[in-house]
Structures are given as C-alpha cells and as structure tokens.
Amino acid sequence: LEGWTRVAYLTQNIEFFNFHTSFFAGVYNHLQRKAVEQKLELFLLELDLKEGTNSIYRQIREMRTNGIEVFLCNSGQIVDALSEQNQKVILVQGGARDDCISIYCDDYAAGQVAANHALEMGHTQAGTFFPGTGKNSPRYQGFVETFTSNGGTCPKEYHWQLPGTHDKMIPQVAELSREADSLPSLFYCFADHLLFPVIRGFAENQLRVPDDISLIGTDNLYWGKYANPPFTTVDLCEDLFADKLIEAIGHVKKDPTPYRLAVPVKLIPRGTVRKIN
C-alpha cells in the first residue's frame, strides 16, 4: 500500500513475549491500535538464534522479501544480526546502544518512585525480589540508592534472588521468609508477575499482604489491578512507549542517526502497601 510502512517485531520467544510479562505484548497491542492511523503494517515474528548464522541470515532475507522496512526487537543479538545485513532496526527495552535507536523505560526512575512511595508510607526498612542477576538492574539500583540516601535501610540479607519459573518461586519465598529472624516491612519486586508467587510464598507462613508485608511491583500488569489486594506498581506507560516507537519508526526511515530515549514512568498506589504511622 502506498505510503504505508511494513514493520516487524522480532522476538526470540513469542511465548515469553505474550505470557511471561505483559510489557512487550502491551506495547505491541498499543502499536496495533494505532497502526491504521499511522499507516503501519505490523508483524510479530520469531527469530531463532540457535539455528546458526546461515539460518538467521536466511530468515532475515525472507522477511525483507516480504517488504519489511523497519525491525523492532528487544534483543542485542538480533540487533547485531540485523545490523550486519544493513537493516533498519530499533532496540525496544533492551538497554541503550550507540549503534542504533534505543527506546527504553526509565528503569532507574522506576526504582526511585517506588522507593519514594515506600518512604512516604512510613517504611524505613526494605528488601528486594529480583530474578537472577537483578542487582545489575537500573530498577534495583534506583530503588536501593534512593531508599538508603533518604534515611531507609536495605539489609543485604533481604536482597533475595528468585529462580526463573513461578512454580519454583513459591517454595523459595516460603523458605526464605521462614528462615529469616525478622523481615522488612516492605519488598520491592522487579515486576508485577513476581507478586503472585511472592504473595503465595508469604501466605504459606501466614504472612499477609499488606498487613504483615507490603509489596511494590513494576509494569502495571493488567491482572494486578484485579488481584486481592490490587497491586501497587510502577506504570511503565506502555501507550506512551508505543507513541515513541512510532516516532522512531518515522525517524529511522529518513535518518539513520541513532539516538537514545528513556520513556518516563509513574507510580500507581493501590492496595499492597500499608501506611505505617
């Protein structure tokens, strides 16, 4: 169609994209909603990086044959593969790079606003729940640095790392909370989807949220507002993020000059944080 742009979102794992976290699917949904007005043809495609270089290049060539002009992805490996083929690519919530347009959430600010809310609600000691090497995350750094610089404490023994699957998270949270001599009044979680197993893990030790433990998440997960209690969370503003991607698509078609953009975030207070007098 004349004047339209074919855009492919490439992901290594569509199941993760759609189910394990709501952010990417949410952003893509907003892109779909705006697509006709912006004259965008959108495709969600999976690129298997395990197949080897020749297979990757073949997959990219096939996409180009179908008229794809701009690629979106959240993987640095996919960016590298596309860049080697001189394709127009935008990195989505995958950090900041100098060799391509990078659009990402202000994750450090996400940790900051969570810490400030915890302090405003009277909490003076906090822990964290992050997966894997979460201590390298700007969210973690923003929370811990802001909370401690404003009078709170984050004891190292309560910086808890969670395994990759939700089934394993529940017993680990139960074990960690059972073995602790005492617990902080609040925990900051990397993402809202972690709050479900965290709440269940605490419940196995008769710890209730927010009466005994307060929780703050990140993402503004759709189901979080219908949970009991509804999740206090940092909204990553998926609708605004989609707008910034649309602007980036228009830019990269005309000008290959890379730039970085951190999309603002905001706190949504709900029911998982108790006010301490």
Side-chain angles (χ1 to χ4, degrees):
L1 296 176
E2 185 177 352
W4 285 63
T5 303
R6 287 196 167 189
V7 178
Y9 196 117
L10 297 189
T11 177
Q12 291 176 252
N13 188 327
I14 286 181
E15 181 181 1
F16 177 87
F17 185 96
N18 284 327
F19 297 111
H20 284 239
T21 178
S22 68
F23 175 78
F24 297 110
V27 169
Y28 190 76
N29 178 64
H30 287 298
L31 286 174
Q32 287 179 309
R33 182 169 54 81
K34 302 168 190 282
V36 173
E37 178 185 351
Q38 299 296 328
K39 293 188 175 181
L40 299 176
E41 287 188 86
L42 294 175
F43 302 85
L44 178 59
L45 305 173
E46 191 170 80
L47 182 65
D48 190 352
L49 296 178
K50 298 177 183 178
E51 294 295 321
T53 302
N54 290 336
S55 175
I56 293 170
Y57 290 162
R58 177 183 54 77
Q59 294 175 71
I60 294 173
R61 283 196 302 271
E62 290 175 355
M63 295 172 193
R64 288 290 297 151
T65 301
N66 291 324
I68 302 300
E69 296 180 63
V70 180
F71 293 90
L72 311 176
C73 68
N74 58 299
S75 163
Q77 288 178 283
I78 294 179
V79 168
D80 292 339
L82 290 166
S83 296
E84 289 177 9
Q85 296 294 301
N86 296 316
Q87 304 303 316
K88 297 173 181 177
V89 57
I90 299 167
L91 181 61
V92 181
Q93 186 60 352
R97 292 178 52 145
D98 295 326
D99 58 346
C100 69
I101 296 176
S102 304
I103 311 295
Y104 49 93
C105 299
D106 194 338
D107 281 321
Y108 189 88
Q112 284 183 308
V113 298
N116 286 329
H117 182 66
L119 293 164
E120 290 166 3
M121 296 294 282
H123 296 269
T124 58
Q125 189 179 77
T128 60
F129 281 110
F130 273 67
T133 57
K135 292 181 181 180
N136 296 324
S137 166
R139 288 183 202 174
Y140 172 89
Q141 296 163 359
F143 181 83
V144 172
E145 291 173 10
T146 302
F147 194 77
T148 55
S149 65
N150 287 280
T153 59
C154 293
K156 291 182 179 179
E157 60 267 30
Y158 301 118
H159 296 191
W160 290 345
Q161 294 183 356
L162 293 178
T165 64
H166 293 92
D167 288 342
K168 293 180 180 180
M169 292 178 192
I170 296 170
Q172 180 162 333
V173 173
E175 181 180 358
L176 288 168
S177 57
R178 183 169 52 249
E179 293 179 349
D181 294 331
S182 62
L183 290 171
S185 60
L186 177 140
F187 280 85
Y188 175 51
C189 296
F190 172 74
D192 281 0
H193 71 88
L194 301 181
L195 267 66
F196 291 104
V198 167
I199 289 173
R200 285 190 57 184
F202 280 138
E204 291 194 8
N205 292 316
Q206 289 73 53
L207 295 170
R208 296 171 298 173
V209 176
D211 295 342
D212 302 307
I213 302 287
S214 291
L215 298 175
I216 301 177
T218 310
D219 279 346
N220 191 22
L221 181 73
Y222 173 79
W223 292 110
K225 59 186 173 184
Y226 300 112
N228 185 23
F231 297 168
T232 294
T233 186
V234 180
D235 185 5
L236 299 182
C237 301
E238 296 163 1
D239 195 356
L240 176 61
F241 199 105
D243 287 339
K244 298 305 179 183
L245 284 180
I246 291 169
E247 292 175 8
I249 291 167
H251 173 90
V252 76
K253 284 184 64 180
K254 301 174 183 177
D255 183 356
T257 305
Y259 68 86
R260 302 178 179 185
L261 178 66
V263 179
V265 301
K266 62 182 179 181
L267 185 105
I268 300 180
R270 293 195 184 110
T272 53
V273 178
R274 178 171 68 95
K275 175 72 172 179
I276 297 177
N277 296 321

